[in-house]
Structure formats: C-alpha cells, structure tokens
Amino acid sequence: MLGPSRNMSNSELSPTPTTMRQCVIDYITQLQNDIVSALEDASVPPCRFKRDTWSRSQGGGGISCTFASSADDATYEKAGVNISMIHGTLPPAAIKQMSSEHSSLDVNTMTALPFFAGGISLIVHPCNPNAPSAHANYRYFEVMDSTEEDAKVVGWWFGGITDLTPSYLFEEDAKEFHETLKAVCDAYGTALYPKFKQSCDDHFFIPHRKEYRGIGGIRFDDLNDEMNAILGSVDDEARPRTADDIFAFVRSLGDAFTPSYMGILNRRKSMPSDERMRRWQLLRRGRYVEFNLVCERGIKFGLAAPGVNVENVLMGMPETARWEYMSEMFEESDSAEGKVMEVLKCPKTWVREC
C-alpha cells in the first residue's frame, strides 16, 4: 500500500523512504530515541526508561518508553514517550464520517477501506512542584482506496498538539515555551501560531471547572492541502500545503520539544519546595485527571478503538492526584497559587504576534 511519494535528504532517516508512511515511521522512531535520551540525561539521580514493544492483532504496533518513581529525590514522578504505527480496515460508517470532513476522500462509503496511523505521544510529570508538566502528540493518518498492491492514498492529514501545565507560574518559562513554538510556526507562515495557540487554549478548557488545564501551546488537526477549519479565514495565507511541506513543519515542531522544555525543567527540577506546594501540585494534577477522563476526545476515541493498548492510552495520567472539597488554596489572589489561577481562568498572550 503506497502513500504520497517523497524523496528525503535527511541523512538521519536513511535509507531514503519512498512513502510518507515510512517517512513518518522513521522520524517518530528517531524522535522517540532522542527525547528519551534527553530526559534520561536530565535526570538527577540518573534514570533509565523501561522500553516495551507491543503489537496489535488487527495490524501494527508500537514502542513504549516509560519511567515512574515514588522517590522524593527523583526528577520525574512519571514520564513516557510512546510511538504507534498501526494499520487495519475502517468500516463504512467511519469512512462516511471522514468523507464529510475531508472533501478529497471521495470514495464509496459503502466499502471498508484500509488505513494507516502513525504518531508519537509524550508526557512528563516532574516531581518538583516548581517544574511544569509537558505534553506533546504528533500524528499522521492516511486512507487507501483498496487493499491491492497498487493502492493509492485517497485521504491524508497531519495533526499535533503540545502544551505546558505548571502548578506554579514562572512567566519567563511560559514566554520561553511559547516563543520557541512561535519561531517554528513563523518559519512556515505567520498566520499559524495565533490560530494554533487559540485552538490549543480552546481544547484544554475544562467546562465544569470554568478553567483551563494549563498555559497552552499550539494545536492543529486535519492539516493537509484542503481548507483547514482551524485556520479558517487565514487559510489562504502562506502555509505548508503539500504532504512534504506539512511533514517538514511537523518535524520542526517535534524537534523543538527538547529546546522548548528541557531548559525549563533543568531550572526548576531542584528548586526548594514544601508540603503546601506538593499539596497544590496534587490538586492541579487532579484537574489534569478530570480533563483527560471527562474532556479529552483522543482518550475516549483511543479506549473505544479495537485492539487498543489501554496502558498507552492512559499513559498521560499522573501517578498521584488529589481532590479537596471546596479547597481554599487559590482564594487568595496575591498568593502564588492565586497567581497561577489567574492565567488558568483567562488565557494570556505570552509572546507578541508581530
């Protein structure tokens, strides 16, 4: 089954793949290794991630790299960098739904069609309350017109999201994180960052709490050569449109995770903290759990997918969390907890858009 043809010059992805599918597999495999190495190198005391290869009976599989520790001096309470490369058959109902969202998917919706999905998902929950949690996910999806050897791709798109979730607010960290993302986006089109930041803010809203999970980042979905709903009225401005160009954009974002987060982590991982700060961190981790289980569509979709690896779907959940009835911790607006709540109630613009 063939994807869009592609010739890549990147020496790290050799031998040269001939399909976008293989390009994605090669890239996320290398990116996983790079990020795990960076996380292991930053750990004090040293740590080694557990590596687990899994397979899916319906087709494909993945590699999970995870670490968890209950030690007080550990850098990470929980961290994971997972990749998946799965394939199988989409039922007619799923094809019909997708075709309503993608005009290029002009196929017989009464017939099941083969698909491929590949992506990388990562989460870092540090032990120190001063260090923010980080999350990212980048993915590629394609649908083929048949199971024949000469099958063609009839629908494809990329998606991605990355965000930062602090328990305590350091404005310089928030600015550094967003400035790194904006610089990547601006290299491919100045209209991208404002729209993708707004999409990320909207995505991480917790309706029943009337607050946001963290300080956001960027989010895009269904990005291909068609009109993109997130970009909306600015879609006709300069942006990557071909599969090759969008993949280059996604690679740039994936490569930016280490520079966007590791400096922040290294500054905060050994800062002094106390029991009050730990209590607040666990309350915020409770909000993280609420969002993931109540609001996150990706988790709901993943748990409903046939042959799913449940442990991978729930990897982003923190090891420990806390709930208090009518907690008073953020009632004082001039407290450190109150200050972070201000930006969780009303998202802030962290970098200038011009």
Side-chain angles (χ1 to χ4, degrees):
M1 293 184 287
L2 301 177
S5 63
R6 172 172 176 78
N7 295 314
M8 292 185 62
S9 59
N10 301 58
S11 59
E12 71 273 19
L13 300 181
S14 59
T16 303
T18 57
T19 65
M20 183 57 72
R21 175 186 304 200
Q22 193 59 50
C23 289
V24 169
I25 291 173
D26 289 353
Y27 174 66
I28 61 177
T29 301
Q30 183 61 54
L31 182 61
Q32 180 187 45
N33 291 333
D34 292 345
I35 293 176
V36 169
S37 294
L39 291 171
E40 289 179 339
D41 290 345
S43 178
V44 180
C47 77
R48 285 294 175 262
F49 278 53
K50 176 184 176 182
R51 287 162 169 80
D52 173 48
T53 300
W54 57 272
S55 61
R56 176 176 174 270
S57 60
Q58 292 86 349
I63 304 171
S64 301
C65 296
T66 58
F67 176 81
S69 175
S70 58
D72 292 338
D73 63 345
T75 297
Y76 314 114
E77 184 170 350
K78 184 178 184 181
V81 186
N82 293 354
I83 61 173
S84 62
M85 300 81 65
I86 66 172
H87 54 86
T89 303
L90 289 172
I95 296 293
K96 185 176 182 179
Q97 174 63 31
M98 289 181 180
S99 64
S100 68
E101 300 170 354
H102 298 275
S103 59
S104 64
L105 198 57
D106 184 17
V107 295
N108 181 0
T109 57
M110 299 301 292
T111 303
L113 294 177
F115 77 92
F116 167 81
I120 182 168
S121 181
L122 67 93
I123 184 69
V124 184
H125 290 304
C127 288
N128 194 307
N130 293 288
S133 293
H135 158 257
N137 174 283
Y138 297 105
R139 57 198 178 274
Y140 170 71
F141 192 93
E142 68 180 25
V143 181
M144 317 300 294
D145 63 0
S146 74
T147 58
E148 302 299 324
E149 288 292 330
D150 60 348
K152 297 180 180 179
V153 173
V154 291
W156 61 270
W157 50 89
F158 289 87
I161 190 168
T162 185
D163 68 295
L164 204 63
T165 305
S167 298
Y168 287 92
L169 182 64
F170 295 90
E171 292 208 2
E172 62 269 33
D173 294 351
K175 290 177 181 178
E176 178 180 329
F177 183 74
H178 278 270
E179 284 171 353
T180 302
L181 295 176
K182 184 177 185 299
V184 173
C185 290
D186 285 355
Y188 293 86
T190 56
L192 300 181
Y193 173 77
K195 287 292 188 180
F196 292 168
K197 177 191 182 297
Q198 184 62 57
S199 174
C200 189
D201 287 341
D202 294 344
H203 179 80
F204 285 113
F205 183 64
I206 308 174
H208 59 275
R209 295 289 187 180
K210 295 182 172 57
E211 63 188 52
Y212 296 79
R213 191 177 79 173
I215 61 167
I218 62 167
R219 172 185 174 269
F220 58 95
D221 202 6
D222 297 330
L223 195 60
N224 57 14
D225 54 0
E226 302 173 353
M227 176 75 178
N228 185 262
I230 291 175
L231 291 173
S233 61
V234 302
D235 185 81
D236 58 348
E237 298 186 23
R239 74 160 177 94
R241 295 184 187 278
T242 67
D244 287 0
D245 290 343
I246 297 174
F247 182 44
F249 172 58
V250 171
R251 293 203 316 272
S252 295
L253 287 170
D255 293 344
F257 174 78
T258 299
S260 72
Y261 180 65
M262 298 309 296
I264 297 171
L265 175 67
N266 287 328
R267 285 197 297 271
R268 308 302 173 197
K269 65 186 180 185
S270 300
M271 288 182 65
S273 62
D274 55 27
E275 290 184 7
R276 174 186 172 89
M277 296 176 70
R278 175 59 171 167
R279 175 187 166 202
W280 176 247
Q281 180 192 47
L282 292 179
L283 286 171
R284 295 313 309 168
R285 295 263 168 93
R287 297 294 201 269
Y288 208 101
V289 170
E290 289 179 29
F291 175 83
N292 282 15
L293 294 183
V294 177
C295 309
E296 178 56 73
R297 290 168 294 177
I299 289 180
K300 294 178 182 179
F301 176 82
L303 291 175
V308 66
N309 184 322
V310 175
E311 297 296 334
N312 282 344
V313 175
L314 298 176
M315 179 194 70
M317 303 285 281
E319 284 282 288
T320 52
R322 181 184 181 100
W323 285 264
E324 295 179 8
Y325 182 74
M326 302 293 287
S327 177
E328 79 289 351
M329 284 200 74
F330 54 85
E331 291 183 356
E332 300 174 3
S333 60
D334 59 344
S335 68
E337 295 80 17
K339 289 178 180 178
V340 74
M341 284 306 302
E342 288 181 10
V343 300
L344 297 182
K345 292 287 188 181
C346 183
K348 185 174 179 178
T349 299
W350 297 106
V351 295
R352 295 179 61 185
E353 296 180 1
C354 60

